[in-house]
Amino acid sequence: MKLFALTIVHKSTSKAKLLKASNDLSSFGYFQRSSVKEFMDFTCKIVVERTASCSRSSVKEQEYMFHVFVRADGLSGVLISDSEYPPRVSFTLLSKVLDEFTAKYPASTWNSLVENQVEFKPCDEYLARYQNPKEADAMMKLQTDLDETKIILHDCLEGVLQRGENLDNLIEKSEGLSMQSKTFYKTAKKTNQCCVIL
C-alpha cells in the first residue's frame, strides 16, 4: 500500500485552483519526478472539476486510484494511492485535512490564495503518517489487532488439543473448580448437544 500525493484544491464556478500539493515521489526515478508531479497536479484539478459538489468518488487511472472529496463550499481534497490502499481510510484522511485547512484558512481567503503556494505543513505530515493505514487509522488498527488475537487464540486451543488433552478431561481433573461448577459444565454441555447441527 502506497500514498503518492495529497492535494487540496478549491473548486470555484469556473475552474479548480490547486492550493497545496504534497507528494511522495520516492518510488519514481529521479528524472521522472517532475513530470510525474505535473501529471498528478493536472489530473487532480481535472478530477475535482468533473466531480459534483458534496460528493466523494474514486477514479482509477492505470494502477493509481484518485480518491476525491468535494465539499459544498468548493474546498476539495484528492488522495492518490495504489489500488490496494483502503478507500475508507482515504476519505477519513481527506475529511480531516480539509477541516484543518479551513481552520487555518477561512473560506473568505481561498480566492486570494496564490495557486500551489499555500503553506500548510499538516499535508506533508499526514502524507507521511498515513503511508501505513493500519498505524494511522484507529478502526483499521483495531481490526488488525482483533485478527491477530483470533489467530493466537486459535493456535493456543489447537496446541492444547494436539497434546491429547481435551476440555472435558481438564475440567474433570481440576481442583480449582467446585463440584457445582463441574456439574454445571456437564449439564450445559448436554443441553447444548441438542442444538449442534452436523
Side-chain angles (χ1 to χ4, degrees), residues 3-9 18-24 76-79 93-94 96-98 100-101 104 118-131:
L3 291 179
F4 299 103
L6 176 57
T7 307
I8 299 172
V9 180
L18 194 142
L19 301 176
K20 172 67 178 167
S22 297
N23 302 87
D24 180 356
S76 312
V78 181
L79 187 74
L93 173 58
L94 288 172
K96 185 182 293 192
V97 168
L98 294 178
E100 287 185 26
F101 186 85
K104 185 170 182 178
V118 176
E119 286 295 319
F120 188 63
K121 293 265 185 233
C123 232
D124 300 322
E125 294 165 4
Y126 281 128
L127 184 66
R129 193 168 87 193
Y130 272 74
Q131 286 297 332

PDB file of all heavy atoms in Angstrom, residues 3-9 18-24 76-79 93-94 96-98 100-101 104 118-131:
ATOM      1  N   LEU A   3       0.860   5.703  -0.679  1.00  0.00           N
ATOM      2  CA  LEU A   3       0.276   7.001  -0.993  1.00  0.00           C
ATOM      3  C   LEU A   3       1.293   7.797  -1.796  1.00  0.00           C
ATOM      4  O   LEU A   3       2.472   7.830  -1.444  1.00  0.00           O
ATOM      5  CB  LEU A   3      -0.051   7.776   0.283  1.00  0.00           C
ATOM      6  CG  LEU A   3      -1.177   7.244   1.145  1.00  0.00           C
ATOM      7  CD1 LEU A   3      -1.344   8.115   2.379  1.00  0.00           C
ATOM      8  CD2 LEU A   3      -2.468   7.193   0.370  1.00  0.00           C
ATOM      9  N   PHE A   4       0.829   8.448  -2.851  1.00  0.00           N
ATOM     10  CA  PHE A   4       1.722   9.220  -3.696  1.00  0.00           C
ATOM     11  C   PHE A   4       1.512  10.722  -3.544  1.00  0.00           C
ATOM     12  O   PHE A   4       2.456  11.490  -3.677  1.00  0.00           O
ATOM     13  CB  PHE A   4       1.539   8.834  -5.169  1.00  0.00           C
ATOM     14  CG  PHE A   4       1.842   7.387  -5.438  1.00  0.00           C
ATOM     15  CD1 PHE A   4       0.821   6.469  -5.614  1.00  0.00           C
ATOM     16  CD2 PHE A   4       3.156   6.944  -5.482  1.00  0.00           C
ATOM     17  CE1 PHE A   4       1.101   5.135  -5.850  1.00  0.00           C
ATOM     18  CE2 PHE A   4       3.448   5.616  -5.717  1.00  0.00           C
ATOM     19  CZ  PHE A   4       2.423   4.701  -5.900  1.00  0.00           C
ATOM     20  N   ALA A   5       0.275  11.148  -3.305  1.00  0.00           N
ATOM     21  CA  ALA A   5       0.016  12.582  -3.221  1.00  0.00           C
ATOM     22  C   ALA A   5      -1.227  12.876  -2.406  1.00  0.00           C
ATOM     23  O   ALA A   5      -2.177  12.096  -2.390  1.00  0.00           O
ATOM     24  CB  ALA A   5      -0.130  13.169  -4.620  1.00  0.00           C
ATOM     25  N   LEU A   6      -1.183  14.015  -1.743  1.00  0.00           N
ATOM     26  CA  LEU A   6      -2.326  14.559  -1.004  1.00  0.00           C
ATOM     27  C   LEU A   6      -2.443  16.013  -1.441  1.00  0.00           C
ATOM     28  O   LEU A   6      -1.512  16.800  -1.264  1.00  0.00           O
ATOM     29  CB  LEU A   6      -2.082  14.451   0.502  1.00  0.00           C
ATOM     30  CG  LEU A   6      -3.126  15.059   1.428  1.00  0.00           C
ATOM     31  CD1 LEU A   6      -4.501  14.451   1.171  1.00  0.00           C
ATOM     32  CD2 LEU A   6      -2.725  14.856   2.879  1.00  0.00           C
ATOM     33  N   THR A   7      -3.578  16.345  -2.058  1.00  0.00           N
ATOM     34  CA  THR A   7      -3.730  17.648  -2.689  1.00  0.00           C
ATOM     35  C   THR A   7      -4.999  18.343  -2.213  1.00  0.00           C
ATOM     36  O   THR A   7      -6.040  17.704  -2.073  1.00  0.00           O
ATOM     37  CB  THR A   7      -3.800  17.477  -4.230  1.00  0.00           C
ATOM     38  OG1 THR A   7      -2.660  16.725  -4.644  1.00  0.00           O
ATOM     39  CG2 THR A   7      -3.812  18.795  -4.941  1.00  0.00           C
ATOM     40  N   ILE A   8      -4.886  19.658  -1.980  1.00  0.00           N
ATOM     41  CA  ILE A   8      -6.051  20.474  -1.625  1.00  0.00           C
ATOM     42  C   ILE A   8      -6.319  21.410  -2.795  1.00  0.00           C
ATOM     43  O   ILE A   8      -5.424  22.125  -3.265  1.00  0.00           O
ATOM     44  CB  ILE A   8      -5.797  21.283  -0.338  1.00  0.00           C
ATOM     45  CG1 ILE A   8      -5.522  20.326   0.822  1.00  0.00           C
ATOM     46  CG2 ILE A   8      -6.986  22.194  -0.031  1.00  0.00           C
ATOM     47  CD1 ILE A   8      -5.077  21.003   2.101  1.00  0.00           C
ATOM     48  N   VAL A   9      -7.562  21.390  -3.261  1.00  0.00           N
ATOM     49  CA  VAL A   9      -7.957  22.159  -4.443  1.00  0.00           C
ATOM     50  C   VAL A   9      -9.200  22.964  -4.101  1.00  0.00           C
ATOM     51  O   VAL A   9     -10.093  22.483  -3.398  1.00  0.00           O
ATOM     52  CB  VAL A   9      -8.263  21.202  -5.627  1.00  0.00           C
ATOM     53  CG1 VAL A   9      -8.677  21.975  -6.859  1.00  0.00           C
ATOM     54  CG2 VAL A   9      -7.062  20.313  -5.930  1.00  0.00           C
ATOM     55  N   LEU A  18      -5.357  24.685  -7.591  1.00  0.00           N
ATOM     56  CA  LEU A  18      -4.588  23.839  -6.686  1.00  0.00           C
ATOM     57  C   LEU A  18      -3.951  24.725  -5.614  1.00  0.00           C
ATOM     58  O   LEU A  18      -3.167  25.616  -5.933  1.00  0.00           O
ATOM     59  CB  LEU A  18      -3.517  23.086  -7.462  1.00  0.00           C
ATOM     60  CG  LEU A  18      -2.855  21.939  -6.727  1.00  0.00           C
ATOM     61  CD1 LEU A  18      -2.586  20.792  -7.678  1.00  0.00           C
ATOM     62  CD2 LEU A  18      -1.563  22.386  -6.100  1.00  0.00           C
ATOM     63  N   LEU A  19      -4.315  24.491  -4.344  1.00  0.00           N
ATOM     64  CA  LEU A  19      -3.800  25.319  -3.258  1.00  0.00           C
ATOM     65  C   LEU A  19      -2.549  24.720  -2.627  1.00  0.00           C
ATOM     66  O   LEU A  19      -1.580  25.413  -2.361  1.00  0.00           O
ATOM     67  CB  LEU A  19      -4.883  25.517  -2.192  1.00  0.00           C
ATOM     68  CG  LEU A  19      -6.173  26.189  -2.670  1.00  0.00           C
ATOM     69  CD1 LEU A  19      -7.195  26.241  -1.553  1.00  0.00           C
ATOM     70  CD2 LEU A  19      -5.883  27.581  -3.209  1.00  0.00           C
ATOM     71  N   LYS A  20      -2.581  23.413  -2.370  1.00  0.00           N
ATOM     72  CA  LYS A  20      -1.445  22.751  -1.713  1.00  0.00           C
ATOM     73  C   LYS A  20      -1.342  21.324  -2.224  1.00  0.00           C
ATOM     74  O   LYS A  20      -2.343  20.612  -2.302  1.00  0.00           O
ATOM     75  CB  LYS A  20      -1.640  22.763  -0.193  1.00  0.00           C
ATOM     76  CG  LYS A  20      -0.636  21.962   0.594  1.00  0.00           C
ATOM     77  CD  LYS A  20       0.757  22.545   0.518  1.00  0.00           C
ATOM     78  CE  LYS A  20       1.725  21.742   1.367  1.00  0.00           C
ATOM     79  NZ  LYS A  20       3.106  22.078   1.081  1.00  0.00           N
ATOM     80  N   ALA A  21      -0.132  20.911  -2.575  1.00  0.00           N
ATOM     81  CA  ALA A  21       0.101  19.526  -3.008  1.00  0.00           C
ATOM     82  C   ALA A  21       1.316  18.987  -2.277  1.00  0.00           C
ATOM     83  O   ALA A  21       2.371  19.617  -2.269  1.00  0.00           O
ATOM     84  CB  ALA A  21       0.322  19.460  -4.507  1.00  0.00           C
ATOM     85  N   SER A  22       1.142  17.850  -1.634  1.00  0.00           N
ATOM     86  CA  SER A  22       2.251  17.133  -1.005  1.00  0.00           C
ATOM     87  C   SER A  22       2.438  15.839  -1.765  1.00  0.00           C
ATOM     88  O   SER A  22       1.464  15.128  -2.019  1.00  0.00           O
ATOM     89  CB  SER A  22       1.945  16.837   0.453  1.00  0.00           C
ATOM     90  OG  SER A  22       1.810  18.039   1.171  1.00  0.00           O
ATOM     91  N   ASN A  23       3.671  15.535  -2.116  1.00  0.00           N
ATOM     92  CA  ASN A  23       3.940  14.347  -2.929  1.00  0.00           C
ATOM     93  C   ASN A  23       5.019  13.479  -2.311  1.00  0.00           C
ATOM     94  O   ASN A  23       5.948  13.990  -1.692  1.00  0.00           O
ATOM     95  CB  ASN A  23       4.400  14.749  -4.335  1.00  0.00           C
ATOM     96  CG  ASN A  23       3.386  15.609  -5.048  1.00  0.00           C
ATOM     97  OD1 ASN A  23       3.390  16.817  -4.910  1.00  0.00           O
ATOM     98  ND2 ASN A  23       2.505  15.003  -5.800  1.00  0.00           N
ATOM     99  N   ASP A  24       4.880  12.181  -2.487  1.00  0.00           N
ATOM    100  CA  ASP A  24       5.937  11.228  -2.159  1.00  0.00           C
ATOM    101  C   ASP A  24       6.297  10.536  -3.483  1.00  0.00           C
ATOM    102  O   ASP A  24       5.611   9.605  -3.903  1.00  0.00           O
ATOM    103  CB  ASP A  24       5.471  10.216  -1.120  1.00  0.00           C
ATOM    104  CG  ASP A  24       6.550   9.202  -0.763  1.00  0.00           C
ATOM    105  OD1 ASP A  24       7.635   9.229  -1.380  1.00  0.00           O
ATOM    106  OD2 ASP A  24       6.304   8.367   0.123  1.00  0.00           O
ATOM    107  N   SER A  76     -11.822  21.070  -1.847  1.00  0.00           N
ATOM    108  CA  SER A  76     -11.746  19.669  -2.266  1.00  0.00           C
ATOM    109  C   SER A  76     -10.402  19.076  -1.898  1.00  0.00           C
ATOM    110  O   SER A  76      -9.402  19.785  -1.803  1.00  0.00           O
ATOM    111  CB  SER A  76     -11.927  19.557  -3.775  1.00  0.00           C
ATOM    112  OG  SER A  76     -13.038  20.293  -4.202  1.00  0.00           O
ATOM    113  N   GLY A  77     -10.396  17.763  -1.731  1.00  0.00           N
ATOM    114  CA  GLY A  77      -9.159  17.053  -1.465  1.00  0.00           C
ATOM    115  C   GLY A  77      -9.052  15.856  -2.390  1.00  0.00           C
ATOM    116  O   GLY A  77     -10.053  15.225  -2.733  1.00  0.00           O
ATOM    117  N   VAL A  78      -7.821  15.569  -2.811  1.00  0.00           N
ATOM    118  CA  VAL A  78      -7.564  14.407  -3.664  1.00  0.00           C
ATOM    119  C   VAL A  78      -6.397  13.647  -3.056  1.00  0.00           C
ATOM    120  O   VAL A  78      -5.368  14.227  -2.721  1.00  0.00           O
ATOM    121  CB  VAL A  78      -7.208  14.821  -5.115  1.00  0.00           C
ATOM    122  CG1 VAL A  78      -6.982  13.586  -5.978  1.00  0.00           C
ATOM    123  CG2 VAL A  78      -8.282  15.702  -5.706  1.00  0.00           C
ATOM    124  N   LEU A  79      -6.588  12.350  -2.911  1.00  0.00           N
ATOM    125  CA  LEU A  79      -5.534  11.473  -2.412  1.00  0.00           C
ATOM    126  C   LEU A  79      -5.215  10.478  -3.518  1.00  0.00           C
ATOM    127  O   LEU A  79      -6.106   9.764  -3.993  1.00  0.00           O
ATOM    128  CB  LEU A  79      -6.009  10.739  -1.155  1.00  0.00           C
ATOM    129  CG  LEU A  79      -4.973   9.913  -0.438  1.00  0.00           C
ATOM    130  CD1 LEU A  79      -4.003  10.819   0.299  1.00  0.00           C
ATOM    131  CD2 LEU A  79      -5.626   8.983   0.550  1.00  0.00           C
ATOM    132  N   LEU A  93      -9.027  10.548   5.925  1.00  0.00           N
ATOM    133  CA  LEU A  93      -7.890  11.468   5.868  1.00  0.00           C
ATOM    134  C   LEU A  93      -8.272  12.761   5.148  1.00  0.00           C
ATOM    135  O   LEU A  93      -7.954  13.860   5.624  1.00  0.00           O
ATOM    136  CB  LEU A  93      -6.704  10.799   5.170  1.00  0.00           C
ATOM    137  CG  LEU A  93      -5.493  11.689   4.872  1.00  0.00           C
ATOM    138  CD1 LEU A  93      -4.936  12.327   6.128  1.00  0.00           C
ATOM    139  CD2 LEU A  93      -4.419  10.885   4.159  1.00  0.00           C
ATOM    140  N   LEU A  94      -8.953  12.653   4.024  1.00  0.00           N
ATOM    141  CA  LEU A  94      -9.343  13.849   3.279  1.00  0.00           C
ATOM    142  C   LEU A  94     -10.235  14.763   4.115  1.00  0.00           C
ATOM    143  O   LEU A  94     -10.041  15.987   4.131  1.00  0.00           O
ATOM    144  CB  LEU A  94     -10.036  13.464   1.970  1.00  0.00           C
ATOM    145  CG  LEU A  94      -9.138  12.874   0.886  1.00  0.00           C
ATOM    146  CD1 LEU A  94      -9.966  12.362  -0.283  1.00  0.00           C
ATOM    147  CD2 LEU A  94      -8.117  13.898   0.412  1.00  0.00           C
ATOM    148  N   LYS A  96     -10.368  15.019   7.374  1.00  0.00           N
ATOM    149  CA  LYS A  96      -9.551  15.596   8.438  1.00  0.00           C
ATOM    150  C   LYS A  96      -8.686  16.742   7.900  1.00  0.00           C
ATOM    151  O   LYS A  96      -8.619  17.822   8.501  1.00  0.00           O
ATOM    152  CB  LYS A  96      -8.657  14.504   9.037  1.00  0.00           C
ATOM    153  CG  LYS A  96      -7.846  14.944  10.237  1.00  0.00           C
ATOM    154  CD  LYS A  96      -6.954  13.826  10.729  1.00  0.00           C
ATOM    155  CE  LYS A  96      -7.759  12.698  11.304  1.00  0.00           C
ATOM    156  NZ  LYS A  96      -6.948  11.717  12.042  1.00  0.00           N
ATOM    157  N   VAL A  97      -8.035  16.539   6.766  1.00  0.00           N
ATOM    158  CA  VAL A  97      -7.158  17.563   6.191  1.00  0.00           C
ATOM    159  C   VAL A  97      -7.952  18.803   5.787  1.00  0.00           C
ATOM    160  O   VAL A  97      -7.539  19.933   6.054  1.00  0.00           O
ATOM    161  CB  VAL A  97      -6.370  16.987   4.988  1.00  0.00           C
ATOM    162  CG1 VAL A  97      -5.683  18.083   4.197  1.00  0.00           C
ATOM    163  CG2 VAL A  97      -5.356  15.974   5.463  1.00  0.00           C
ATOM    164  N   LEU A  98      -9.106  18.607   5.158  1.00  0.00           N
ATOM    165  CA  LEU A  98      -9.909  19.755   4.722  1.00  0.00           C
ATOM    166  C   LEU A  98     -10.436  20.553   5.912  1.00  0.00           C
ATOM    167  O   LEU A  98     -10.487  21.789   5.866  1.00  0.00           O
ATOM    168  CB  LEU A  98     -11.049  19.290   3.817  1.00  0.00           C
ATOM    169  CG  LEU A  98     -10.623  18.696   2.465  1.00  0.00           C
ATOM    170  CD1 LEU A  98     -11.839  18.237   1.677  1.00  0.00           C
ATOM    171  CD2 LEU A  98      -9.783  19.675   1.664  1.00  0.00           C
ATOM    172  N   GLU A 100      -8.957  20.840   8.870  1.00  0.00           N
ATOM    173  CA  GLU A 100      -7.808  21.578   9.427  1.00  0.00           C
ATOM    174  C   GLU A 100      -7.410  22.744   8.525  1.00  0.00           C
ATOM    175  O   GLU A 100      -7.035  23.815   9.008  1.00  0.00           O
ATOM    176  CB  GLU A 100      -6.622  20.635   9.642  1.00  0.00           C
ATOM    177  CG  GLU A 100      -6.822  19.702  10.810  1.00  0.00           C
ATOM    178  CD  GLU A 100      -5.603  18.841  11.109  1.00  0.00           C
ATOM    179  OE1 GLU A 100      -4.467  19.248  10.781  1.00  0.00           O
ATOM    180  OE2 GLU A 100      -5.801  17.747  11.673  1.00  0.00           O
ATOM    181  N   PHE A 101      -7.499  22.547   7.218  1.00  0.00           N
ATOM    182  CA  PHE A 101      -7.173  23.622   6.282  1.00  0.00           C
ATOM    183  C   PHE A 101      -8.158  24.783   6.461  1.00  0.00           C
ATOM    184  O   PHE A 101      -7.757  25.942   6.488  1.00  0.00           O
ATOM    185  CB  PHE A 101      -7.213  23.100   4.840  1.00  0.00           C
ATOM    186  CG  PHE A 101      -6.756  24.108   3.830  1.00  0.00           C
ATOM    187  CD1 PHE A 101      -5.404  24.265   3.547  1.00  0.00           C
ATOM    188  CD2 PHE A 101      -7.672  24.912   3.157  1.00  0.00           C
ATOM    189  CE1 PHE A 101      -4.971  25.201   2.620  1.00  0.00           C
ATOM    190  CE2 PHE A 101      -7.254  25.843   2.226  1.00  0.00           C
ATOM    191  CZ  PHE A 101      -5.901  25.996   1.954  1.00  0.00           C
ATOM    192  N   LYS A 104      -7.380  26.941   9.427  1.00  0.00           N
ATOM    193  CA  LYS A 104      -6.246  27.846   9.228  1.00  0.00           C
ATOM    194  C   LYS A 104      -6.551  28.923   8.183  1.00  0.00           C
ATOM    195  O   LYS A 104      -6.161  30.081   8.333  1.00  0.00           O
ATOM    196  CB  LYS A 104      -5.005  27.061   8.806  1.00  0.00           C
ATOM    197  CG  LYS A 104      -3.774  27.944   8.696  1.00  0.00           C
ATOM    198  CD  LYS A 104      -2.499  27.162   8.524  1.00  0.00           C
ATOM    199  CE  LYS A 104      -1.321  28.140   8.464  1.00  0.00           C
ATOM    200  NZ  LYS A 104      -0.060  27.457   8.345  1.00  0.00           N
ATOM    201  N   VAL A 118       0.564  27.786  -1.089  1.00  0.00           N
ATOM    202  CA  VAL A 118      -0.001  27.885   0.248  1.00  0.00           C
ATOM    203  C   VAL A 118       0.840  27.056   1.212  1.00  0.00           C
ATOM    204  O   VAL A 118       1.183  25.904   0.920  1.00  0.00           O
ATOM    205  CB  VAL A 118      -1.469  27.392   0.259  1.00  0.00           C
ATOM    206  CG1 VAL A 118      -2.041  27.404   1.658  1.00  0.00           C
ATOM    207  CG2 VAL A 118      -2.307  28.230  -0.682  1.00  0.00           C
ATOM    208  N   GLU A 119       1.193  27.652   2.348  1.00  0.00           N
ATOM    209  CA  GLU A 119       1.934  26.935   3.387  1.00  0.00           C
ATOM    210  C   GLU A 119       0.945  26.180   4.271  1.00  0.00           C
ATOM    211  O   GLU A 119       0.090  26.794   4.914  1.00  0.00           O
ATOM    212  CB  GLU A 119       2.739  27.918   4.245  1.00  0.00           C
ATOM    213  CG  GLU A 119       3.959  28.471   3.555  1.00  0.00           C
ATOM    214  CD  GLU A 119       4.999  27.395   3.255  1.00  0.00           C
ATOM    215  OE1 GLU A 119       5.217  26.520   4.110  1.00  0.00           O
ATOM    216  OE2 GLU A 119       5.574  27.425   2.152  1.00  0.00           O
ATOM    217  N   PHE A 120       1.058  24.868   4.284  1.00  0.00           N
ATOM    218  CA  PHE A 120       0.179  24.053   5.133  1.00  0.00           C
ATOM    219  C   PHE A 120       0.899  22.751   5.447  1.00  0.00           C
ATOM    220  O   PHE A 120       0.797  21.756   4.730  1.00  0.00           O
ATOM    221  CB  PHE A 120      -1.158  23.802   4.421  1.00  0.00           C
ATOM    222  CG  PHE A 120      -2.185  23.146   5.289  1.00  0.00           C
ATOM    223  CD1 PHE A 120      -2.681  23.767   6.425  1.00  0.00           C
ATOM    224  CD2 PHE A 120      -2.667  21.886   4.978  1.00  0.00           C
ATOM    225  CE1 PHE A 120      -3.625  23.143   7.222  1.00  0.00           C
ATOM    226  CE2 PHE A 120      -3.606  21.259   5.762  1.00  0.00           C
ATOM    227  CZ  PHE A 120      -4.098  21.895   6.890  1.00  0.00           C
ATOM    228  N   LYS A 121       1.685  22.754   6.521  1.00  0.00           N
ATOM    229  CA  LYS A 121       2.540  21.617   6.905  1.00  0.00           C
ATOM    230  C   LYS A 121       1.780  20.324   7.196  1.00  0.00           C
ATOM    231  O   LYS A 121       2.286  19.242   6.913  1.00  0.00           O
ATOM    232  CB  LYS A 121       3.398  21.987   8.123  1.00  0.00           C
ATOM    233  CG  LYS A 121       4.420  23.042   7.825  1.00  0.00           C
ATOM    234  CD  LYS A 121       5.729  22.400   7.502  1.00  0.00           C
ATOM    235  CE  LYS A 121       6.791  23.451   7.332  1.00  0.00           C
ATOM    236  NZ  LYS A 121       7.493  23.344   6.100  1.00  0.00           N
ATOM    237  N   PRO A 122       0.565  20.382   7.780  1.00  0.00           N
ATOM    238  CA  PRO A 122      -0.129  19.111   8.063  1.00  0.00           C
ATOM    239  C   PRO A 122      -0.296  18.206   6.844  1.00  0.00           C
ATOM    240  O   PRO A 122      -0.341  16.988   6.971  1.00  0.00           O
ATOM    241  CB  PRO A 122      -1.490  19.562   8.608  1.00  0.00           C
ATOM    242  CG  PRO A 122      -1.213  20.885   9.227  1.00  0.00           C
ATOM    243  CD  PRO A 122      -0.173  21.518   8.343  1.00  0.00           C
ATOM    244  N   CYS A 123      -0.351  18.786   5.660  1.00  0.00           N
ATOM    245  CA  CYS A 123      -0.479  17.981   4.430  1.00  0.00           C
ATOM    246  C   CYS A 123       0.710  17.026   4.302  1.00  0.00           C
ATOM    247  O   CYS A 123       0.540  15.834   4.046  1.00  0.00           O
ATOM    248  CB  CYS A 123      -0.530  18.915   3.226  1.00  0.00           C
ATOM    249  SG  CYS A 123      -1.904  18.616   2.143  1.00  0.00           S
ATOM    250  N   ASP A 124       1.914  17.553   4.475  1.00  0.00           N
ATOM    251  CA  ASP A 124       3.127  16.733   4.384  1.00  0.00           C
ATOM    252  C   ASP A 124       3.170  15.693   5.505  1.00  0.00           C
ATOM    253  O   ASP A 124       3.540  14.541   5.285  1.00  0.00           O
ATOM    254  CB  ASP A 124       4.380  17.615   4.462  1.00  0.00           C
ATOM    255  CG  ASP A 124       4.434  18.646   3.341  1.00  0.00           C
ATOM    256  OD1 ASP A 124       4.030  18.306   2.213  1.00  0.00           O
ATOM    257  OD2 ASP A 124       4.870  19.777   3.608  1.00  0.00           O
ATOM    258  N   GLU A 125       2.784  16.125   6.710  1.00  0.00           N
ATOM    259  CA  GLU A 125       2.817  15.227   7.871  1.00  0.00           C
ATOM    260  C   GLU A 125       1.834  14.069   7.709  1.00  0.00           C
ATOM    261  O   GLU A 125       2.172  12.916   7.980  1.00  0.00           O
ATOM    262  CB  GLU A 125       2.506  16.015   9.143  1.00  0.00           C
ATOM    263  CG  GLU A 125       3.579  17.038   9.485  1.00  0.00           C
ATOM    264  CD  GLU A 125       3.125  18.070  10.511  1.00  0.00           C
ATOM    265  OE1 GLU A 125       1.980  17.955  11.035  1.00  0.00           O
ATOM    266  OE2 GLU A 125       3.917  18.996  10.788  1.00  0.00           O
ATOM    267  N   TYR A 126       0.626  14.366   7.253  1.00  0.00           N
ATOM    268  CA  TYR A 126      -0.374  13.308   7.065  1.00  0.00           C
ATOM    269  C   TYR A 126       0.029  12.349   5.948  1.00  0.00           C
ATOM    270  O   TYR A 126      -0.201  11.151   6.048  1.00  0.00           O
ATOM    271  CB  TYR A 126      -1.757  13.890   6.772  1.00  0.00           C
ATOM    272  CG  TYR A 126      -2.475  14.398   7.997  1.00  0.00           C
ATOM    273  CD1 TYR A 126      -3.011  15.672   8.042  1.00  0.00           C
ATOM    274  CD2 TYR A 126      -2.635  13.581   9.118  1.00  0.00           C
ATOM    275  CE1 TYR A 126      -3.674  16.143   9.158  1.00  0.00           C
ATOM    276  CE2 TYR A 126      -3.292  14.045  10.238  1.00  0.00           C
ATOM    277  CZ  TYR A 126      -3.817  15.324  10.254  1.00  0.00           C
ATOM    278  OH  TYR A 126      -4.470  15.765  11.367  1.00  0.00           O
ATOM    279  N   LEU A 127       0.613  12.882   4.893  1.00  0.00           N
ATOM    280  CA  LEU A 127       1.048  12.019   3.794  1.00  0.00           C
ATOM    281  C   LEU A 127       2.079  11.004   4.290  1.00  0.00           C
ATOM    282  O   LEU A 127       2.021   9.832   3.936  1.00  0.00           O
ATOM    283  CB  LEU A 127       1.621  12.845   2.637  1.00  0.00           C
ATOM    284  CG  LEU A 127       2.028  12.053   1.402  1.00  0.00           C
ATOM    285  CD1 LEU A 127       0.808  11.418   0.736  1.00  0.00           C
ATOM    286  CD2 LEU A 127       2.741  12.955   0.406  1.00  0.00           C
ATOM    287  N   ALA A 128       2.978  11.440   5.152  1.00  0.00           N
ATOM    288  CA  ALA A 128       3.987  10.533   5.714  1.00  0.00           C
ATOM    289  C   ALA A 128       3.363   9.561   6.717  1.00  0.00           C
ATOM    290  O   ALA A 128       3.630   8.359   6.688  1.00  0.00           O
ATOM    291  CB  ALA A 128       5.094  11.340   6.380  1.00  0.00           C
ATOM    292  N   ARG A 129       2.504  10.076   7.591  1.00  0.00           N
ATOM    293  CA  ARG A 129       1.932   9.237   8.652  1.00  0.00           C
ATOM    294  C   ARG A 129       0.955   8.186   8.121  1.00  0.00           C
ATOM    295  O   ARG A 129       0.889   7.079   8.633  1.00  0.00           O
ATOM    296  CB  ARG A 129       1.235  10.107   9.692  1.00  0.00           C
ATOM    297  CG  ARG A 129       0.909   9.334  10.961  1.00  0.00           C
ATOM    298  CD  ARG A 129       0.498  10.233  12.063  1.00  0.00           C
ATOM    299  NE  ARG A 129      -0.926  10.455  11.969  1.00  0.00           N
ATOM    300  CZ  ARG A 129      -1.570  11.384  12.630  1.00  0.00           C
ATOM    301  NH1 ARG A 129      -0.939  12.206  13.417  1.00  0.00           N
ATOM    302  NH2 ARG A 129      -2.864  11.516  12.497  1.00  0.00           N
ATOM    303  N   TYR A 130       0.213   8.516   7.097  1.00  0.00           N
ATOM    304  CA  TYR A 130      -0.805   7.597   6.573  1.00  0.00           C
ATOM    305  C   TYR A 130      -0.255   6.614   5.550  1.00  0.00           C
ATOM    306  O   TYR A 130      -1.018   5.884   4.930  1.00  0.00           O
ATOM    307  CB  TYR A 130      -1.983   8.376   5.980  1.00  0.00           C
ATOM    308  CG  TYR A 130      -3.045   8.724   6.996  1.00  0.00           C
ATOM    309  CD1 TYR A 130      -2.844   9.728   7.933  1.00  0.00           C
ATOM    310  CD2 TYR A 130      -4.246   8.032   7.039  1.00  0.00           C
ATOM    311  CE1 TYR A 130      -3.801  10.049   8.870  1.00  0.00           C
ATOM    312  CE2 TYR A 130      -5.222   8.348   7.963  1.00  0.00           C
ATOM    313  CZ  TYR A 130      -4.998   9.352   8.888  1.00  0.00           C
ATOM    314  OH  TYR A 130      -5.952   9.655   9.809  1.00  0.00           O
ATOM    315  N   GLN A 131       1.057   6.564   5.348  1.00  0.00           N
ATOM    316  CA  GLN A 131       1.626   5.563   4.443  1.00  0.00           C
ATOM    317  C   GLN A 131       1.237   4.156   4.896  1.00  0.00           C
ATOM    318  O   GLN A 131       1.008   3.276   4.087  1.00  0.00           O
ATOM    319  CB  GLN A 131       3.150   5.694   4.358  1.00  0.00           C
ATOM    320  CG  GLN A 131       3.631   6.886   3.565  1.00  0.00           C
ATOM    321  CD  GLN A 131       3.226   6.856   2.106  1.00  0.00           C
ATOM    322  OE1 GLN A 131       3.029   5.810   1.492  1.00  0.00           O
ATOM    323  NE2 GLN A 131       3.077   8.037   1.535  1.00  0.00           N
TER     324      GLN A 131
END
